[in-house]
Amino acid sequence: MAAYFGRRLYKGAATTAVAAAAVAALTASQAPGNTVDGQDRPTAAGATPAPDDDGAATGNSPYYTDLPPLNSPSPAPSATAGPSTPQTPAEAGIPATVLDAYKKAAAELRADKPGCNLPWELLAAIGKVESGQARGGRVNAEGTTLTPILGPVLNGSGFAHISDTDHGAYDGDATYDRAIGPMQFIPSTWAWAGRDGNGDGKKDPNNVYDAALAAGHYLCRNGWDLSNAADLDKAILSYNNSRDYLNTVRSWLEYYRRGTHTIPDGTGTLPSGRSDDTTRTHRASSSPAASTPGASPRPGHSGKDGDGSGGGSGRPSDSGTTPGTGNGGGGPSRTPSPTPSRSASQPTMPPTPTDRVDHLADAHTGKLTAMAGDTFAQRIHTRAETEAGAAVAKVRIRFTIIGDTDTTFAGGEKVATVLTDATGVAVAPALRAGEQTGGFTVRALVVGRTVSGLEYRATVTERAADTLTRTSDTPLTCTPGGAFADRVEVRATYEGAAADGGAPTATLVTSADDPAENDKGPYFKDADGKPVRTLKDLRTDDKGLLTLPKLYADDTTGTFLLRITTTGGATLTVELKVAPADTSAEPSPGSSAEPSPSTSADASPSA
């Protein structure tokens, strides 16, 4: 799809006062005691609360830390020079194709998951922080980046340690994973979160349409409502688990909400500050201004002009600078302080709910079976228990669909994380069967603790019908050696509704009591015109209708049976009659119906 270069919209971004208020609000959100982590423990100011899912979309890779400008995008008129021409900061401009991808993804999410309330500005904020809007919009008309965007090698040297999960298919590295594309997904997350956003039949993390739609679905999982501040924070933290990351994304979100405009692809500004810039701490501590109260540098900035170099990827690389801590890219590298020994008088932290879990148990999950295209009637119920069998509430259980299947949870994901309730039970989202039949597994694991998980076996069966009926009651007759004038049409229903996609079998049987295939009488023709008396791989249409091929008759006369069956147990038997044509005519008025002696069957030959 060609990028649209329409009339630029100069709505204007935040004023100085509004931007300052937004930053102040974000700072206030870090006040001590305002948050709790995933184990119900209060977090210190600036600490990172655990998201509602383990891991992160990016693998907690480094990110850009530049903040929006605080100056007004539309300066007030000068007192001496008259009204000035409105000046929109370059930071407010988003490359046309990239902006189109964000808006299309948000529109699709409004239709698919209206309760999520995903704003396109959130995708723009994450895209800015993750890749600088695809390196300033260096994409082609279809939205694919001109060169791949790769994060640093996640080999545990300063970053997370994530061994290869995609055999190098996405990131070109068969040893370790790397974050990829405009929205910086790691391959293992892309494997289940990836989407086809531009309709080309592929799920490409380096395509901004695909990546933006995947990011939208990722942020809208777990039933989050992003119009709710708490859910918004959870969604952002699940993308990259860092409080600094959350504040940076939030700042750009508010900035874009107050106005943006379209710029040509490839002309966007590139950020310079990076979360793995380890020189920031040294500069801040050695600068005289840094020791002056109130004179610390702006959060997220390095304090010097940077060229944004990072191995040419537009992201931090594993060369050129000393790697950061790998703690989510939330700040500079620091030498850890020695852990003080705990004295007997120091209180010990009480065990968290997750610490108390000894095992998982099934909580009366029913049989997991559904027909293709249907939603499973049963949902998985898993209970977290202590060693003594007591319930453990407020524990996160991760459910993962495993195996060769296109079945997903409601919403299209293959991974879902659910908090256990007061009874210790986590109920997985409903399973939605795809078109692929067969068995697969759903695995339940405790997030944040290594204990044995549970595996649930589920099965998708072919579409079936519980009732088959003919759509016509016209008798089906034929003369020997001829063809039946009417074709057999049936309607398949399941619990009264049309059973579309069903796979009935039609067989010309020997008799009502013998279902074996008949070797004489009516028949169908195969592609070569040869007689066949059993048809398989039939399919009902979206209305549950099936019209059988034309029927033919051999020279055998009599009444024959066509039996149609479905995997759901429905059966329909249809009568077929083959008889000679009736050539007798009605007698004329006054004539006798009795045969004359000369035509009587028992008349004697004439002398």
PDB file of all heavy atoms in Angstrom, residues 523-559:
ATOM      1  N   TYR A 523     -25.582 -44.987  -9.534  1.00  0.00           N
ATOM      2  CA  TYR A 523     -24.184 -44.694  -9.238  1.00  0.00           C
ATOM      3  C   TYR A 523     -23.879 -43.230  -9.581  1.00  0.00           C
ATOM      4  O   TYR A 523     -24.611 -42.571 -10.319  1.00  0.00           O
ATOM      5  CB  TYR A 523     -23.271 -45.633 -10.041  1.00  0.00           C
ATOM      6  CG  TYR A 523     -23.431 -45.533 -11.549  1.00  0.00           C
ATOM      7  CD1 TYR A 523     -22.683 -44.619 -12.296  1.00  0.00           C
ATOM      8  CD2 TYR A 523     -24.341 -46.347 -12.227  1.00  0.00           C
ATOM      9  CE1 TYR A 523     -22.850 -44.527 -13.670  1.00  0.00           C
ATOM     10  CE2 TYR A 523     -24.507 -46.269 -13.593  1.00  0.00           C
ATOM     11  CZ  TYR A 523     -23.759 -45.346 -14.317  1.00  0.00           C
ATOM     12  OH  TYR A 523     -23.930 -45.239 -15.664  1.00  0.00           O
ATOM     13  N   PHE A 524     -22.762 -42.740  -8.994  1.00  0.00           N
ATOM     14  CA  PHE A 524     -22.205 -41.441  -9.387  1.00  0.00           C
ATOM     15  C   PHE A 524     -21.099 -41.701 -10.397  1.00  0.00           C
ATOM     16  O   PHE A 524     -20.734 -42.846 -10.672  1.00  0.00           O
ATOM     17  CB  PHE A 524     -21.618 -40.714  -8.163  1.00  0.00           C
ATOM     18  CG  PHE A 524     -22.620 -40.447  -7.078  1.00  0.00           C
ATOM     19  CD1 PHE A 524     -22.631 -41.215  -5.917  1.00  0.00           C
ATOM     20  CD2 PHE A 524     -23.549 -39.418  -7.203  1.00  0.00           C
ATOM     21  CE1 PHE A 524     -23.531 -40.966  -4.902  1.00  0.00           C
ATOM     22  CE2 PHE A 524     -24.467 -39.170  -6.184  1.00  0.00           C
ATOM     23  CZ  PHE A 524     -24.459 -39.944  -5.036  1.00  0.00           C
ATOM     24  N   LYS A 525     -20.529 -40.656 -10.964  1.00  0.00           N
ATOM     25  CA  LYS A 525     -19.398 -40.791 -11.871  1.00  0.00           C
ATOM     26  C   LYS A 525     -18.201 -40.040 -11.290  1.00  0.00           C
ATOM     27  O   LYS A 525     -18.342 -38.949 -10.727  1.00  0.00           O
ATOM     28  CB  LYS A 525     -19.726 -40.227 -13.252  1.00  0.00           C
ATOM     29  CG  LYS A 525     -20.689 -41.073 -14.062  1.00  0.00           C
ATOM     30  CD  LYS A 525     -20.885 -40.469 -15.450  1.00  0.00           C
ATOM     31  CE  LYS A 525     -21.834 -41.336 -16.297  1.00  0.00           C
ATOM     32  NZ  LYS A 525     -22.034 -40.738 -17.667  1.00  0.00           N
ATOM     33  N   ASP A 526     -16.998 -40.660 -11.434  1.00  0.00           N
ATOM     34  CA  ASP A 526     -15.796 -39.958 -11.008  1.00  0.00           C
ATOM     35  C   ASP A 526     -15.306 -39.057 -12.134  1.00  0.00           C
ATOM     36  O   ASP A 526     -15.991 -38.878 -13.160  1.00  0.00           O
ATOM     37  CB  ASP A 526     -14.718 -40.952 -10.569  1.00  0.00           C
ATOM     38  CG  ASP A 526     -14.249 -41.861 -11.699  1.00  0.00           C
ATOM     39  OD1 ASP A 526     -14.558 -41.586 -12.876  1.00  0.00           O
ATOM     40  OD2 ASP A 526     -13.554 -42.861 -11.396  1.00  0.00           O
ATOM     41  N   ALA A 527     -14.118 -38.470 -11.935  1.00  0.00           N
ATOM     42  CA  ALA A 527     -13.600 -37.520 -12.917  1.00  0.00           C
ATOM     43  C   ALA A 527     -13.359 -38.165 -14.278  1.00  0.00           C
ATOM     44  O   ALA A 527     -13.364 -37.475 -15.306  1.00  0.00           O
ATOM     45  CB  ALA A 527     -12.305 -36.899 -12.397  1.00  0.00           C
ATOM     46  N   ASP A 528     -13.173 -39.468 -14.293  1.00  0.00           N
ATOM     47  CA  ASP A 528     -12.947 -40.175 -15.554  1.00  0.00           C
ATOM     48  C   ASP A 528     -14.228 -40.756 -16.131  1.00  0.00           C
ATOM     49  O   ASP A 528     -14.186 -41.481 -17.131  1.00  0.00           O
ATOM     50  CB  ASP A 528     -11.928 -41.297 -15.342  1.00  0.00           C
ATOM     51  CG  ASP A 528     -10.568 -40.769 -14.908  1.00  0.00           C
ATOM     52  OD1 ASP A 528     -10.188 -39.670 -15.371  1.00  0.00           O
ATOM     53  OD2 ASP A 528      -9.914 -41.428 -14.081  1.00  0.00           O
ATOM     54  N   GLY A 529     -15.353 -40.491 -15.479  1.00  0.00           N
ATOM     55  CA  GLY A 529     -16.627 -40.998 -15.971  1.00  0.00           C
ATOM     56  C   GLY A 529     -16.925 -42.415 -15.549  1.00  0.00           C
ATOM     57  O   GLY A 529     -17.896 -43.010 -16.034  1.00  0.00           O
ATOM     58  N   LYS A 530     -16.124 -42.967 -14.639  1.00  0.00           N
ATOM     59  CA  LYS A 530     -16.355 -44.336 -14.190  1.00  0.00           C
ATOM     60  C   LYS A 530     -17.336 -44.346 -13.010  1.00  0.00           C
ATOM     61  O   LYS A 530     -17.376 -43.403 -12.210  1.00  0.00           O
ATOM     62  CB  LYS A 530     -15.036 -44.969 -13.775  1.00  0.00           C
ATOM     63  CG  LYS A 530     -14.047 -45.123 -14.934  1.00  0.00           C
ATOM     64  CD  LYS A 530     -12.748 -45.767 -14.472  1.00  0.00           C
ATOM     65  CE  LYS A 530     -11.775 -45.923 -15.632  1.00  0.00           C
ATOM     66  NZ  LYS A 530     -10.477 -46.514 -15.180  1.00  0.00           N
ATOM     67  N   PRO A 531     -18.128 -45.428 -12.886  1.00  0.00           N
ATOM     68  CA  PRO A 531     -19.120 -45.490 -11.803  1.00  0.00           C
ATOM     69  C   PRO A 531     -18.456 -45.541 -10.427  1.00  0.00           C
ATOM     70  O   PRO A 531     -17.469 -46.260 -10.225  1.00  0.00           O
ATOM     71  CB  PRO A 531     -19.888 -46.786 -12.096  1.00  0.00           C
ATOM     72  CG  PRO A 531     -19.641 -47.067 -13.541  1.00  0.00           C
ATOM     73  CD  PRO A 531     -18.258 -46.575 -13.807  1.00  0.00           C
ATOM     74  N   VAL A 532     -18.979 -44.779  -9.476  1.00  0.00           N
ATOM     75  CA  VAL A 532     -18.575 -44.851  -8.062  1.00  0.00           C
ATOM     76  C   VAL A 532     -19.841 -44.819  -7.229  1.00  0.00           C
ATOM     77  O   VAL A 532     -20.816 -44.151  -7.580  1.00  0.00           O
ATOM     78  CB  VAL A 532     -17.619 -43.700  -7.660  1.00  0.00           C
ATOM     79  CG1 VAL A 532     -16.269 -43.831  -8.342  1.00  0.00           C
ATOM     80  CG2 VAL A 532     -18.235 -42.346  -7.953  1.00  0.00           C
ATOM     81  N   ARG A 533     -19.842 -45.540  -6.119  1.00  0.00           N
ATOM     82  CA  ARG A 533     -21.058 -45.610  -5.303  1.00  0.00           C
ATOM     83  C   ARG A 533     -20.819 -45.125  -3.859  1.00  0.00           C
ATOM     84  O   ARG A 533     -21.701 -45.275  -3.028  1.00  0.00           O
ATOM     85  CB  ARG A 533     -21.618 -47.041  -5.329  1.00  0.00           C
ATOM     86  CG  ARG A 533     -22.182 -47.422  -6.706  1.00  0.00           C
ATOM     87  CD  ARG A 533     -22.864 -48.787  -6.709  1.00  0.00           C
ATOM     88  NE  ARG A 533     -23.603 -49.007  -7.938  1.00  0.00           N
ATOM     89  CZ  ARG A 533     -23.089 -49.501  -9.062  1.00  0.00           C
ATOM     90  NH1 ARG A 533     -21.791 -49.849  -9.104  1.00  0.00           N
ATOM     91  NH2 ARG A 533     -23.834 -49.658 -10.146  1.00  0.00           N
ATOM     92  N   THR A 534     -19.650 -44.544  -3.600  1.00  0.00           N
ATOM     93  CA  THR A 534     -19.379 -43.911  -2.309  1.00  0.00           C
ATOM     94  C   THR A 534     -18.653 -42.591  -2.556  1.00  0.00           C
ATOM     95  O   THR A 534     -17.670 -42.551  -3.310  1.00  0.00           O
ATOM     96  CB  THR A 534     -18.515 -44.806  -1.403  1.00  0.00           C
ATOM     97  OG1 THR A 534     -19.221 -46.015  -1.120  1.00  0.00           O
ATOM     98  CG2 THR A 534     -18.198 -44.096  -0.088  1.00  0.00           C
ATOM     99  N   LEU A 535     -19.126 -41.518  -1.924  1.00  0.00           N
ATOM    100  CA  LEU A 535     -18.495 -40.199  -2.034  1.00  0.00           C
ATOM    101  C   LEU A 535     -18.046 -39.748  -0.647  1.00  0.00           C
ATOM    102  O   LEU A 535     -18.833 -39.741   0.302  1.00  0.00           O
ATOM    103  CB  LEU A 535     -19.479 -39.171  -2.613  1.00  0.00           C
ATOM    104  CG  LEU A 535     -19.969 -39.405  -4.046  1.00  0.00           C
ATOM    105  CD1 LEU A 535     -20.952 -38.304  -4.429  1.00  0.00           C
ATOM    106  CD2 LEU A 535     -18.799 -39.429  -5.025  1.00  0.00           C
ATOM    107  N   LYS A 536     -16.765 -39.357  -0.554  1.00  0.00           N
ATOM    108  CA  LYS A 536     -16.226 -38.822   0.691  1.00  0.00           C
ATOM    109  C   LYS A 536     -15.706 -37.410   0.458  1.00  0.00           C
ATOM    110  O   LYS A 536     -15.753 -36.888  -0.659  1.00  0.00           O
ATOM    111  CB  LYS A 536     -15.099 -39.720   1.216  1.00  0.00           C
ATOM    112  CG  LYS A 536     -15.551 -41.137   1.569  1.00  0.00           C
ATOM    113  CD  LYS A 536     -14.384 -41.966   2.097  1.00  0.00           C
ATOM    114  CE  LYS A 536     -14.837 -43.371   2.468  1.00  0.00           C
ATOM    115  NZ  LYS A 536     -13.712 -44.201   2.993  1.00  0.00           N
ATOM    116  N   ASP A 537     -15.215 -36.795   1.552  1.00  0.00           N
ATOM    117  CA  ASP A 537     -14.650 -35.431   1.487  1.00  0.00           C
ATOM    118  C   ASP A 537     -15.653 -34.425   0.940  1.00  0.00           C
ATOM    119  O   ASP A 537     -15.281 -33.478   0.230  1.00  0.00           O
ATOM    120  CB  ASP A 537     -13.372 -35.414   0.638  1.00  0.00           C
ATOM    121  CG  ASP A 537     -12.292 -36.303   1.225  1.00  0.00           C
ATOM    122  OD1 ASP A 537     -12.181 -36.352   2.470  1.00  0.00           O
ATOM    123  OD2 ASP A 537     -11.558 -36.939   0.449  1.00  0.00           O
ATOM    124  N   LEU A 538     -16.911 -34.639   1.244  1.00  0.00           N
ATOM    125  CA  LEU A 538     -17.929 -33.666   0.870  1.00  0.00           C
ATOM    126  C   LEU A 538     -17.927 -32.520   1.889  1.00  0.00           C
ATOM    127  O   LEU A 538     -17.482 -32.681   3.022  1.00  0.00           O
ATOM    128  CB  LEU A 538     -19.301 -34.325   0.827  1.00  0.00           C
ATOM    129  CG  LEU A 538     -19.433 -35.535  -0.122  1.00  0.00           C
ATOM    130  CD1 LEU A 538     -20.766 -36.236   0.106  1.00  0.00           C
ATOM    131  CD2 LEU A 538     -19.310 -35.074  -1.579  1.00  0.00           C
ATOM    132  N   ARG A 539     -18.440 -31.357   1.519  1.00  0.00           N
ATOM    133  CA  ARG A 539     -18.460 -30.211   2.422  1.00  0.00           C
ATOM    134  C   ARG A 539     -19.785 -29.468   2.291  1.00  0.00           C
ATOM    135  O   ARG A 539     -20.204 -29.132   1.184  1.00  0.00           O
ATOM    136  CB  ARG A 539     -17.317 -29.239   2.107  1.00  0.00           C
ATOM    137  CG  ARG A 539     -15.954 -29.691   2.615  1.00  0.00           C
ATOM    138  CD  ARG A 539     -15.864 -29.597   4.123  1.00  0.00           C
ATOM    139  NE  ARG A 539     -14.550 -29.968   4.632  1.00  0.00           N
ATOM    140  CZ  ARG A 539     -14.194 -31.177   4.983  1.00  0.00           C
ATOM    141  NH1 ARG A 539     -15.059 -32.183   4.852  1.00  0.00           N
ATOM    142  NH2 ARG A 539     -12.993 -31.425   5.472  1.00  0.00           N
ATOM    143  N   THR A 540     -20.411 -29.207   3.442  1.00  0.00           N
ATOM    144  CA  THR A 540     -21.601 -28.357   3.432  1.00  0.00           C
ATOM    145  C   THR A 540     -21.155 -26.902   3.346  1.00  0.00           C
ATOM    146  O   THR A 540     -20.082 -26.538   3.830  1.00  0.00           O
ATOM    147  CB  THR A 540     -22.441 -28.567   4.703  1.00  0.00           C
ATOM    148  OG1 THR A 540     -21.626 -28.342   5.854  1.00  0.00           O
ATOM    149  CG2 THR A 540     -22.998 -29.971   4.757  1.00  0.00           C
ATOM    150  N   ASP A 541     -21.996 -26.057   2.733  1.00  0.00           N
ATOM    151  CA  ASP A 541     -21.624 -24.648   2.586  1.00  0.00           C
ATOM    152  C   ASP A 541     -21.969 -23.872   3.851  1.00  0.00           C
ATOM    153  O   ASP A 541     -22.339 -24.453   4.877  1.00  0.00           O
ATOM    154  CB  ASP A 541     -22.288 -24.038   1.345  1.00  0.00           C
ATOM    155  CG  ASP A 541     -23.813 -24.014   1.433  1.00  0.00           C
ATOM    156  OD1 ASP A 541     -24.367 -24.179   2.546  1.00  0.00           O
ATOM    157  OD2 ASP A 541     -24.462 -23.817   0.397  1.00  0.00           O
ATOM    158  N   ASP A 542     -21.832 -22.528   3.795  1.00  0.00           N
ATOM    159  CA  ASP A 542     -22.042 -21.718   4.994  1.00  0.00           C
ATOM    160  C   ASP A 542     -23.483 -21.735   5.480  1.00  0.00           C
ATOM    161  O   ASP A 542     -23.770 -21.291   6.594  1.00  0.00           O
ATOM    162  CB  ASP A 542     -21.583 -20.278   4.755  1.00  0.00           C
ATOM    163  CG  ASP A 542     -22.304 -19.621   3.583  1.00  0.00           C
ATOM    164  OD1 ASP A 542     -23.077 -20.304   2.883  1.00  0.00           O
ATOM    165  OD2 ASP A 542     -22.086 -18.412   3.371  1.00  0.00           O
ATOM    166  N   LYS A 543     -24.403 -22.269   4.663  1.00  0.00           N
ATOM    167  CA  LYS A 543     -25.796 -22.422   5.083  1.00  0.00           C
ATOM    168  C   LYS A 543     -26.121 -23.856   5.473  1.00  0.00           C
ATOM    169  O   LYS A 543     -27.282 -24.189   5.710  1.00  0.00           O
ATOM    170  CB  LYS A 543     -26.733 -21.959   3.965  1.00  0.00           C
ATOM    171  CG  LYS A 543     -26.592 -20.478   3.625  1.00  0.00           C
ATOM    172  CD  LYS A 543     -27.530 -20.074   2.498  1.00  0.00           C
ATOM    173  CE  LYS A 543     -27.370 -18.594   2.159  1.00  0.00           C
ATOM    174  NZ  LYS A 543     -28.256 -18.187   1.021  1.00  0.00           N
ATOM    175  N   GLY A 544     -25.101 -24.704   5.517  1.00  0.00           N
ATOM    176  CA  GLY A 544     -25.309 -26.108   5.864  1.00  0.00           C
ATOM    177  C   GLY A 544     -25.838 -26.948   4.722  1.00  0.00           C
ATOM    178  O   GLY A 544     -26.277 -28.083   4.948  1.00  0.00           O
ATOM    179  N   LEU A 545     -25.819 -26.428   3.500  1.00  0.00           N
ATOM    180  CA  LEU A 545     -26.385 -27.140   2.352  1.00  0.00           C
ATOM    181  C   LEU A 545     -25.319 -27.932   1.613  1.00  0.00           C
ATOM    182  O   LEU A 545     -24.161 -27.525   1.525  1.00  0.00           O
ATOM    183  CB  LEU A 545     -27.045 -26.155   1.387  1.00  0.00           C
ATOM    184  CG  LEU A 545     -28.249 -25.376   1.932  1.00  0.00           C
ATOM    185  CD1 LEU A 545     -28.721 -24.361   0.893  1.00  0.00           C
ATOM    186  CD2 LEU A 545     -29.373 -26.330   2.306  1.00  0.00           C
ATOM    187  N   LEU A 546     -25.752 -29.080   1.059  1.00  0.00           N
ATOM    188  CA  LEU A 546     -24.883 -29.925   0.251  1.00  0.00           C
ATOM    189  C   LEU A 546     -25.702 -30.478  -0.910  1.00  0.00           C
ATOM    190  O   LEU A 546     -26.756 -31.091  -0.705  1.00  0.00           O
ATOM    191  CB  LEU A 546     -24.319 -31.078   1.078  1.00  0.00           C
ATOM    192  CG  LEU A 546     -23.599 -32.187   0.297  1.00  0.00           C
ATOM    193  CD1 LEU A 546     -22.324 -31.659  -0.338  1.00  0.00           C
ATOM    194  CD2 LEU A 546     -23.302 -33.376   1.207  1.00  0.00           C
ATOM    195  N   THR A 547     -25.225 -30.239  -2.130  1.00  0.00           N
ATOM    196  CA  THR A 547     -25.867 -30.794  -3.327  1.00  0.00           C
ATOM    197  C   THR A 547     -24.959 -31.868  -3.897  1.00  0.00           C
ATOM    198  O   THR A 547     -23.799 -31.595  -4.249  1.00  0.00           O
ATOM    199  CB  THR A 547     -26.126 -29.713  -4.386  1.00  0.00           C
ATOM    200  OG1 THR A 547     -26.962 -28.690  -3.824  1.00  0.00           O
ATOM    201  CG2 THR A 547     -26.824 -30.304  -5.607  1.00  0.00           C
ATOM    202  N   LEU A 548     -25.469 -33.101  -3.987  1.00  0.00           N
ATOM    203  CA  LEU A 548     -24.672 -34.214  -4.481  1.00  0.00           C
ATOM    204  C   LEU A 548     -24.567 -34.169  -5.999  1.00  0.00           C
ATOM    205  O   LEU A 548     -25.418 -33.581  -6.683  1.00  0.00           O
ATOM    206  CB  LEU A 548     -25.300 -35.542  -4.048  1.00  0.00           C
ATOM    207  CG  LEU A 548     -25.349 -35.799  -2.536  1.00  0.00           C
ATOM    208  CD1 LEU A 548     -26.009 -37.147  -2.270  1.00  0.00           C
ATOM    209  CD2 LEU A 548     -23.958 -35.759  -1.932  1.00  0.00           C
ATOM    210  N   PRO A 549     -23.529 -34.806  -6.558  1.00  0.00           N
ATOM    211  CA  PRO A 549     -23.404 -34.874  -8.019  1.00  0.00           C
ATOM    212  C   PRO A 549     -24.590 -35.631  -8.641  1.00  0.00           C
ATOM    213  O   PRO A 549     -25.351 -36.299  -7.953  1.00  0.00           O
ATOM    214  CB  PRO A 549     -22.084 -35.627  -8.234  1.00  0.00           C
ATOM    215  CG  PRO A 549     -21.346 -35.487  -6.937  1.00  0.00           C
ATOM    216  CD  PRO A 549     -22.396 -35.422  -5.868  1.00  0.00           C
ATOM    217  N   LYS A 550     -24.667 -35.546  -9.938  1.00  0.00           N
ATOM    218  CA  LYS A 550     -25.750 -36.202 -10.675  1.00  0.00           C
ATOM    219  C   LYS A 550     -25.665 -37.712 -10.520  1.00  0.00           C
ATOM    220  O   LYS A 550     -24.584 -38.288 -10.475  1.00  0.00           O
ATOM    221  CB  LYS A 550     -25.657 -35.829 -12.155  1.00  0.00           C
ATOM    222  CG  LYS A 550     -26.909 -36.103 -12.953  1.00  0.00           C
ATOM    223  CD  LYS A 550     -26.742 -35.585 -14.370  1.00  0.00           C
ATOM    224  CE  LYS A 550     -28.026 -35.724 -15.164  1.00  0.00           C
ATOM    225  NZ  LYS A 550     -29.110 -34.868 -14.645  1.00  0.00           N
ATOM    226  N   LEU A 551     -26.835 -38.361 -10.403  1.00  0.00           N
ATOM    227  CA  LEU A 551     -26.926 -39.815 -10.271  1.00  0.00           C
ATOM    228  C   LEU A 551     -27.323 -40.441 -11.606  1.00  0.00           C
ATOM    229  O   LEU A 551     -28.127 -39.871 -12.373  1.00  0.00           O
ATOM    230  CB  LEU A 551     -27.956 -40.184  -9.214  1.00  0.00           C
ATOM    231  CG  LEU A 551     -27.484 -40.176  -7.756  1.00  0.00           C
ATOM    232  CD1 LEU A 551     -28.679 -40.127  -6.825  1.00  0.00           C
ATOM    233  CD2 LEU A 551     -26.624 -41.412  -7.472  1.00  0.00           C
ATOM    234  N   TYR A 552     -26.775 -41.625 -11.860  1.00  0.00           N
ATOM    235  CA  TYR A 552     -27.083 -42.366 -13.075  1.00  0.00           C
ATOM    236  C   TYR A 552     -27.563 -43.768 -12.681  1.00  0.00           C
ATOM    237  O   TYR A 552     -27.373 -44.204 -11.542  1.00  0.00           O
ATOM    238  CB  TYR A 552     -25.844 -42.481 -13.973  1.00  0.00           C
ATOM    239  CG  TYR A 552     -25.305 -41.134 -14.402  1.00  0.00           C
ATOM    240  CD1 TYR A 552     -24.398 -40.445 -13.591  1.00  0.00           C
ATOM    241  CD2 TYR A 552     -25.712 -40.553 -15.598  1.00  0.00           C
ATOM    242  CE1 TYR A 552     -23.903 -39.208 -13.971  1.00  0.00           C
ATOM    243  CE2 TYR A 552     -25.235 -39.319 -15.985  1.00  0.00           C
ATOM    244  CZ  TYR A 552     -24.328 -38.646 -15.170  1.00  0.00           C
ATOM    245  OH  TYR A 552     -23.863 -37.412 -15.546  1.00  0.00           O
ATOM    246  N   ALA A 553     -28.201 -44.483 -13.652  1.00  0.00           N
ATOM    247  CA  ALA A 553     -28.713 -45.839 -13.389  1.00  0.00           C
ATOM    248  C   ALA A 553     -28.145 -46.815 -14.409  1.00  0.00           C
ATOM    249  O   ALA A 553     -27.956 -46.467 -15.580  1.00  0.00           O
ATOM    250  CB  ALA A 553     -30.233 -45.851 -13.452  1.00  0.00           C
ATOM    251  N   ASP A 554     -27.849 -48.044 -13.935  1.00  0.00           N
ATOM    252  CA  ASP A 554     -27.479 -49.090 -14.888  1.00  0.00           C
ATOM    253  C   ASP A 554     -28.765 -49.773 -15.346  1.00  0.00           C
ATOM    254  O   ASP A 554     -29.859 -49.211 -15.193  1.00  0.00           O
ATOM    255  CB  ASP A 554     -26.476 -50.071 -14.273  1.00  0.00           C
ATOM    256  CG  ASP A 554     -27.019 -50.782 -13.041  1.00  0.00           C
ATOM    257  OD1 ASP A 554     -28.240 -50.746 -12.806  1.00  0.00           O
ATOM    258  OD2 ASP A 554     -26.200 -51.376 -12.292  1.00  0.00           O
ATOM    259  N   ASP A 555     -28.670 -50.990 -15.854  1.00  0.00           N
ATOM    260  CA  ASP A 555     -29.864 -51.650 -16.408  1.00  0.00           C
ATOM    261  C   ASP A 555     -30.687 -52.367 -15.359  1.00  0.00           C
ATOM    262  O   ASP A 555     -31.725 -52.968 -15.681  1.00  0.00           O
ATOM    263  CB  ASP A 555     -29.445 -52.656 -17.498  1.00  0.00           C
ATOM    264  CG  ASP A 555     -28.862 -51.951 -18.717  1.00  0.00           C
ATOM    265  OD1 ASP A 555     -29.212 -50.767 -18.927  1.00  0.00           O
ATOM    266  OD2 ASP A 555     -28.050 -52.570 -19.426  1.00  0.00           O
ATOM    267  N   THR A 556     -30.279 -52.324 -14.093  1.00  0.00           N
ATOM    268  CA  THR A 556     -31.012 -53.033 -13.045  1.00  0.00           C
ATOM    269  C   THR A 556     -32.180 -52.190 -12.577  1.00  0.00           C
ATOM    270  O   THR A 556     -32.035 -50.999 -12.276  1.00  0.00           O
ATOM    271  CB  THR A 556     -30.091 -53.328 -11.847  1.00  0.00           C
ATOM    272  OG1 THR A 556     -28.888 -53.947 -12.315  1.00  0.00           O
ATOM    273  CG2 THR A 556     -30.789 -54.233 -10.854  1.00  0.00           C
ATOM    274  N   THR A 557     -33.355 -52.811 -12.527  1.00  0.00           N
ATOM    275  CA  THR A 557     -34.531 -52.091 -12.043  1.00  0.00           C
ATOM    276  C   THR A 557     -34.805 -52.438 -10.582  1.00  0.00           C
ATOM    277  O   THR A 557     -34.330 -53.431 -10.055  1.00  0.00           O
ATOM    278  CB  THR A 557     -35.767 -52.453 -12.885  1.00  0.00           C
ATOM    279  OG1 THR A 557     -35.997 -53.858 -12.780  1.00  0.00           O
ATOM    280  CG2 THR A 557     -35.581 -52.056 -14.336  1.00  0.00           C
ATOM    281  N   GLY A 558     -35.586 -51.566  -9.923  1.00  0.00           N
ATOM    282  CA  GLY A 558     -35.945 -51.804  -8.540  1.00  0.00           C
ATOM    283  C   GLY A 558     -35.830 -50.538  -7.714  1.00  0.00           C
ATOM    284  O   GLY A 558     -35.639 -49.428  -8.233  1.00  0.00           O
ATOM    285  N   THR A 559     -35.965 -50.713  -6.395  1.00  0.00           N
ATOM    286  CA  THR A 559     -35.845 -49.596  -5.454  1.00  0.00           C
ATOM    287  C   THR A 559     -34.506 -49.712  -4.734  1.00  0.00           C
ATOM    288  O   THR A 559     -34.164 -50.775  -4.193  1.00  0.00           O
ATOM    289  CB  THR A 559     -36.989 -49.613  -4.432  1.00  0.00           C
ATOM    290  OG1 THR A 559     -38.237 -49.478  -5.129  1.00  0.00           O
ATOM    291  CG2 THR A 559     -36.835 -48.472  -3.431  1.00  0.00           C
TER     292      THR A 559
END
